[in-house]
Amino acid sequence: MEEQQVRELILRIQRGDSEAFGVLYDLFLNDIYRYMYFKVSPPDAEDLCEDLFVKVWEKIKTYKEQKNGSFRAWIFTIAHNMVIDYYRKNRTTIPLDEIEGLEMEYSDMEVERETDLNITSEQLTKALSMLKEDYKQAVILKFINDLSNEEISAIMDKSEGAVRILLHRGLKEMNRIFKMLYPEKE
C-alpha cells in the first residue's frame, strides 16, 4: 500500500472509522509481529502486538505526519518503546551503545553482501539472540522489516550515520556468529 493510501486510512481512522483501522491493522500486523518475534519470545510477541494496536488506536488521533514522521516509522517507534518497557518490566537490561557522531562510509549493497548466507529461521533467531541489542534492533528493522535507514534512525533516535555503523557492525558480528555456530555453511 502506498504512503498516500496509508495517509487516507489514517484520516478516516481519525474521524472514527473503525473499518479503516481494520485495514491498517491488517496492513501492519505481519511486519510488527515479525519485529516483535525477533525481539521477545513468540507468546510475548503476540501479546505485545495486541497491546501495540490498542495503543495505536488510542493515540492515532494525535498522529501528525509533519510532527511524527512517516506512519511506518511512528508505529515501529511505538513497538520499539514497548519492547524496551517489556524488558524493563521483566528486569532484563538492554545494553545501549552510545556511538553518535561516529561516521563510516560504505554502501548498503556491501552490507547486504556481507551476510549472504543460506540460513533457516531458527538459525537466524539463534544468531540474532546473540547480538548486542542495538545491532539486533538495526538488523531486524533493516533486513526483516525492510525499513529505510531514515526510518530506522527515527525509531532508534540515532543519526543515519550511526544506523549505518550499527548495521555494518551487526552484520559483521552475525557473520562471525554464523561461522562459529554453523561452520559447515562456509
Side-chain angles (χ1 to χ4, degrees), residues 17-177:
D17 185 344
S18 58
E19 286 182 28
F21 187 78
V23 173
L24 192 75
Y25 175 88
D26 290 340
L27 183 63
F28 285 93
L29 177 62
N30 288 336
D31 288 344
I32 294 295
Y33 177 76
R34 189 171 35 247
Y35 171 75
M36 297 283 195
Y37 177 88
F38 286 105
K39 300 294 280 180
V40 300
S41 68
D44 290 335
E46 291 175 21
D47 291 342
L48 284 175
C49 279
E50 289 175 25
D51 294 345
L52 175 123
F53 282 101
V54 168
K55 200 171 270 196
V56 168
W57 174 256
E58 292 169 347
K59 292 184 173 196
I60 199 157
K61 289 189 188 256
T62 65
Y63 170 77
K64 297 203 180 347
E65 188 172 5
Q66 302 87 332
K67 177 183 170 201
N68 303 110
S70 77
F71 182 77
R72 185 174 172 95
W74 184 74
I75 195 170
F76 272 96
T77 300
I78 294 171
H80 170 71
N81 291 336
M82 289 181 74
V83 168
I84 290 172
D85 290 345
Y86 166 86
Y87 282 109
R88 283 184 185 143
K89 187 177 179 182
N90 292 300
R91 299 185 191 272
T92 304
T93 60
I94 302 174
L96 298 174
D97 291 343
E98 292 300 322
I99 61 170
E100 287 296 321
L102 295 176
E103 294 297 329
M104 178 180 284
E105 291 300 319
Y106 67 94
S107 75
D108 287 341
M109 291 301 290
E110 289 177 72
V111 169
E112 291 181 40
R113 279 195 301 265
E114 289 181 34
T115 322
D116 189 19
L117 300 170
N118 185 19
I119 56 174
T120 67
S121 178
E122 183 179 303
Q123 291 169 329
L124 177 62
T125 302
K126 185 171 184 176
L128 283 169
S129 72
M130 297 172 75
L131 284 179
K132 290 170 59 174
E133 190 59 34
D134 276 356
Y135 296 169
K136 182 189 329 183
Q137 172 87 354
V139 168
I140 289 171
L141 289 170
K142 180 73 173 186
F143 299 104
I144 294 176
N145 291 105
D146 200 30
L147 271 64
S148 69
N149 288 0
E150 181 181 1
E151 290 171 316
I152 297 168
S153 172
I155 292 165
M156 295 183 71
D157 195 27
K158 296 194 179 291
S159 70
E160 285 187 56
V163 167
R164 286 192 302 274
I165 291 168
L166 288 172
L167 288 168
H168 177 76
R169 290 178 180 172
L171 291 173
K172 189 173 180 180
E173 184 64 11
M174 290 275 296
N175 275 330
R176 189 192 67 72
I177 290 167

